[in-house]
Amino acid sequence: MSSPVLPLTWHLARSSGRRGLQSQVLAAGAAAVGAFVLLVMIAACVGSSTRADRTTWRSPDAVPARAATAVQALTTTYVRHQPVTMVSLAGLPGRGATPAPPGLSTFPQAGEVYVSPALAALIRDLPAAQLADRLPKPAGGASYGTIGAAGLASPDELVAVIGRVPTDPAVSPAAEGGNFYDEGQTARAKIAGFSGSEASMFAGADRQAAPLGAVLLVMPVVVLAAAAGRLGAARREQRLAALRLAGATPRQILAMTAAEAAAVGTAGALTGALAYVALLPALAEIPYGVGTWYTRELWVGLPWLAAVVAGVTLLLTVSAVSMLRQVATSPLGVAQQANPRRTRMIRLVLFAVALGYIMLSSHGDMTNRQMIVLLGLFYGTFWLFGPWVVDRLGRIAGRFARRPATLLAARRLSDDPRGAWRTVSGLVLAGFVAGFFSVSQLDIGFAQHPDQVALSTESAAGARHMAPEVRTLLDRAGIEAEVTVVDGGIDTVLLGGTGVVAHVSGGPDQVDAAVTALAPAGKGLFPIGQDYVSASDDTITDRISTVSIATLVLSFFVATASAGLTAAANVLDRRRVYGLLRLSGTPLRVLDRARVRETALPLAALAGGTTAMGVFGAMQLNKEAGTTVNGSGALQLAVCVTLGALAMLAAISGSRPLLRRVTANPTQTVD
């Protein structure tokens, strides 16, 4: 005999009416948003890793001198505060052929120059004295070649590959650099190919920062999926309790709920996945780190796509099924609207133990995996702890309530602490993200010297010998600058080193022109400025800032959607209670105020706590990094918390027309 579960589920879904259809559409919409956000964050992680791997050829693994076929030198210069990566290659005479680097069809011969499309466009836009003159003129008057996408991390990346002769200073041992700020920007090696493991400093920072935002967004998406699974829970409980009393087995009612939720979740998740696929070209235009994306970099692949659709569907289904435990065990209690069980003190004990473990385990040398595990543990323990706080908060508020709206809100908090927690949990957890990222804006504390251009030397005597040449080159280029010899001291871009510093007048354009004019004096190394010296620190802070803004925006967006969805579900689920209250003479405005206070009370208590924890975590990070907190972080935190709370209240207020509609004729809804 065939099972009656699916036909009966389909019949009940069709006969649920307009309100049932509304619940299913809202649930599918929430699943679509959750799947879309997850896929976008996974795409950012996968894409940043892919494009970081495409930069490893610029720092290939060195080989013994007898096995080398070429010399490669990497250096970085800056124009308009943007890094320009210069890769110089020289084949060694009498050695075998060297394969072509990624993005080129052949190994560059001496005098050949290849540039990325973005660099070619910038060369056309800027005066030659600011950029083009830093590159050698192609041999024989030929034009620049083009570096293909295989050798670039982003369409916006500025890269040049230059063919040299082995005796050129640009590939000599002097091109290795030697200052501590050269790391990641200047290198030299004898090579036999372009297989390497070290990504570009800039693309590598993209890869490291992206997973942090993805992990922080997982829990808000879980909250949203759980809220979607709860839509229509009370009406579903009443309907299934009647079936249970009529003889349906617990397995059958759970199977019916799972089938309905899985169908809705699959439809929503597939919609979100299709939206992600359709919007890939638009997503590729969103810059991150080194620039915009090649569209194919953001394609996560079918396995990830299927996993996200299945995961969101599973979350929604588990959420829906978990609401029916009492229906399966005590259908009569559900039918009679019995009070739910109280939360237990064990939640507080487990939270305290887990929080203590997290604090003791946090230290500066943790791996990314350890950080992710601790963050997941924090979210999980707070999810366990939240309903207990809401329950106690409801009891305290009820004891001291002086207004009807507050008394109603307190009773709802203590009667259904898990439901009240689900309404605010998204923003409460987003408060941790806001507190962490707003305060973790690092301030390294070094002095800034944007008007300085410097050439380092091994000794003060070498600096004194170089100074006249520097003055001559600047005068020839028509650049006004004060040239000084530096031997120690930290008030210049050399940061305690020895060399010649030019204090350039006239602004950023003149600074760029000075770098170009002084390039011949560098003997293979470009002059350095503030951008070069602070590149490592600025790259880290820029990536953290970018990830923080994106994570904050998406976290508050998902949390607000979750709150609005849960508020609408609560109105539909409590329509019988609201109808009885209206029949007893309770004004509609009192019911609405009670709904708002039911959210505002736990939000103030819990969001403040998680925000404080986020601030504490950020301060620990700053302490480990040896940096101070950016002064604008407090203002950013206040703005984030205020906007988040207002968005939450606005989302809840959006269900006010629904409350008015379901209580418009209470005599028809209380039965």
Side-chain angles (χ1 to χ4, degrees):
M1 177 181 292
S2 61
S3 173
V5 170
L6 292 180
L8 184 56
T9 302
W10 172 244
H11 172 73
L12 292 176
R14 285 193 307 168
S15 61
S16 60
R18 185 177 63 180
R19 289 194 178 95
L21 180 61
Q22 288 174 344
S23 297
Q24 292 167 355
V25 170
L26 286 174
V33 171
F36 178 79
V37 172
L38 280 179
L39 285 170
V40 169
M41 295 310 300
I42 293 172
C45 296
V46 172
S48 60
S49 180
T50 299
R51 65 184 188 178
D53 290 339
R54 285 216 305 272
T55 65
T56 57
W57 68 270
R58 301 170 198 171
S59 300
D61 298 331
V63 300
R66 63 180 180 276
T69 59
V71 178
Q72 174 170 317
L74 169 73
T75 188
T76 307
T77 185
Y78 290 80
V79 60
R80 292 193 173 181
H81 308 297
Q82 299 180 68
V84 182
T85 302
M86 303 278 194
V87 180
S88 295
L89 294 169
L92 295 175
R95 303 294 177 90
T98 307
L104 274 66
S105 58
T106 60
F107 187 86
Q109 300 300 310
E112 293 181 339
V113 180
Y114 297 83
V115 298
S116 64
L119 181 57
L122 192 60
I123 288 173
R124 291 192 297 268
D125 294 342
L126 294 181
Q130 292 183 24
L131 178 58
D133 289 348
R134 302 185 198 182
L135 298 170
K137 303 298 180 184
S143 59
Y144 296 126
T146 301
I147 302 175
L152 302 174
S154 164
D156 299 330
E157 203 177 20
L158 307 178
V159 182
V161 177
I162 305 165
R164 308 275 190 179
V165 295
T167 56
D168 195 298
V171 293
S172 67
E176 294 181 5
N179 296 301
F180 66 89
Y181 40 73
D182 287 335
E183 184 176 359
Q185 301 189 84
T186 297
R188 175 185 178 274
K190 292 185 176 181
I191 62 171
F194 294 94
S195 60
S197 56
E198 184 177 352
S200 159
M201 178 179 71
F202 309 102
D206 295 352
R207 177 166 59 187
Q208 293 173 355
L212 179 60
V215 171
L216 290 172
L217 276 172
V218 167
M219 188 54 68
V221 171
V222 171
V223 172
L224 182 61
R230 190 178 178 274
L231 274 173
R235 297 177 65 219
R236 187 186 298 125
E237 283 182 344
Q238 291 293 316
R239 183 180 64 192
L240 295 177
L243 290 174
R244 181 80 173 90
L245 291 172
T249 65
R251 179 178 298 179
Q252 287 174 330
I253 64 170
L254 292 177
M256 291 170 60
T257 302
E260 180 182 352
V264 172
T266 301
L270 283 175
T271 301
L274 291 175
Y276 154 75
V277 174
L279 293 175
L280 271 178
L283 294 173
E285 296 301 318
I286 300 176
Y288 168 61
V290 296
T292 57
W293 309 76
Y294 293 107
T295 302
R296 63 179 178 274
E297 293 173 344
L298 294 179
W299 170 240
V300 298
L302 290 177
W304 271 117
L305 200 72
V308 168
V309 171
V312 171
T313 301
L314 180 63
L315 282 172
L316 194 144
T317 304
V318 170
S319 176
V321 170
S322 65
M323 299 298 298
L324 300 179
R325 181 177 56 182
Q326 193 175 4
V327 177
T329 58
S330 181
L332 187 59
V334 172
Q336 293 177 343
Q337 299 286 296
N339 287 335
R341 295 186 305 168
R342 298 291 188 186
T343 55
R344 298 178 180 178
M345 185 67 70
I346 188 63
R347 291 174 179 263
L348 175 62
V349 175
L350 292 176
F351 175 76
V353 171
L355 191 62
Y357 173 77
I358 292 171
M359 295 179 65
L360 292 175
S361 302
S362 301
H363 48 79
D365 57 348
M366 288 190 302
T367 64
N368 288 340
R369 180 173 298 179
Q370 290 173 324
M371 292 178 63
I372 291 172
V373 170
L374 287 181
L375 188 59
L377 180 61
F378 171 79
Y379 276 154
T381 53
F382 221 95
W383 186 265
L384 182 71
F385 179 59
W388 184 87
V389 176
V390 173
D391 190 0
R392 270 57 186 179
L393 187 63
R395 298 185 192 186
I396 294 172
R399 186 175 303 168
F400 296 100
R402 295 294 180 267
R403 295 180 180 276
T406 305
L407 184 60
L408 286 173
R411 179 57 189 271
R412 291 308 309 169
L413 291 177
S414 59
D415 277 355
D416 187 15
R418 296 172 183 83
W421 161 248
R422 281 189 292 267
T423 302
V424 301
S425 58
L427 189 61
V428 168
L429 297 177
F432 174 80
V433 179
F436 179 83
F437 276 128
S438 60
V439 180
S440 64
Q441 301 302 304
L442 306 181
D443 184 5
I444 304 302
F446 293 154
Q448 299 290 305
H449 306 287
D451 62 331
Q452 296 183 9
V453 177
L455 288 162
S456 61
T457 59
E458 294 182 357
S459 64
R464 289 191 293 270
H465 182 267
M466 181 184 287
E469 180 184 3
V470 169
R471 293 189 181 93
T472 300
L473 291 172
L474 292 174
D475 290 340
R476 188 180 301 164
I479 298 171
E480 296 184 7
E482 178 185 354
V483 178
T484 59
V485 174
V486 176
D487 185 10
I490 60 173
D491 57 344
T492 70
V493 292
L494 291 177
L495 296 177
T498 302
V500 180
V501 177
H503 302 262
V504 181
S505 303
D509 289 347
Q510 288 296 94
V511 171
D512 287 340
V515 173
T516 305
L518 296 179
K523 303 299 188 293
L525 293 175
F526 282 101
I528 63 174
Q530 186 62 54
D531 292 323
Y532 187 93
V533 171
S534 58
S536 178
D537 297 328
D538 287 349
T539 299
I540 295 173
T541 56
D542 176 73
R543 300 309 186 265
I544 291 178
S545 177
T546 301
V547 170
S548 69
I549 292 173
T551 304
L552 283 176
V553 171
L554 289 175
S555 292
F556 282 120
F557 168 72
V558 173
T560 301
S562 176
L565 198 65
T566 305
N570 287 339
V571 171
L572 294 174
D573 290 348
R574 300 173 186 169
R575 53 200 300 264
R576 182 176 184 275
V577 176
Y578 287 140
L580 289 171
L581 289 171
R582 287 299 305 278
L583 281 175
S584 65
T586 307
L588 182 64
R589 66 177 181 275
V590 173
L591 296 179
D592 192 49
R593 288 174 184 170
R595 288 194 322 124
V596 174
R597 292 177 189 181
E598 182 184 339
T599 301
L601 288 174
L603 186 63
L606 290 166
T610 53
T611 302
M613 290 182 181
V615 171
F616 175 77
M619 293 178 67
Q620 292 299 110
L621 173 66
N622 293 341
K623 182 179 178 180
E624 293 290 344
T627 62
T628 58
V629 177
N630 192 318
S632 63
L635 177 60
Q636 180 180 343
L637 177 59
V639 171
C640 287
V641 172
T642 301
L643 291 178
L646 291 176
M648 173 76 73
L649 295 176
I652 294 172
S653 299
S655 58
R656 185 178 299 161
L658 182 61
L659 174 65
R660 184 181 299 112
R661 197 158 52 242
V662 300
T663 59
N665 192 359
T667 59
Q668 296 181 4
T669 61
V670 298
D671 301 344

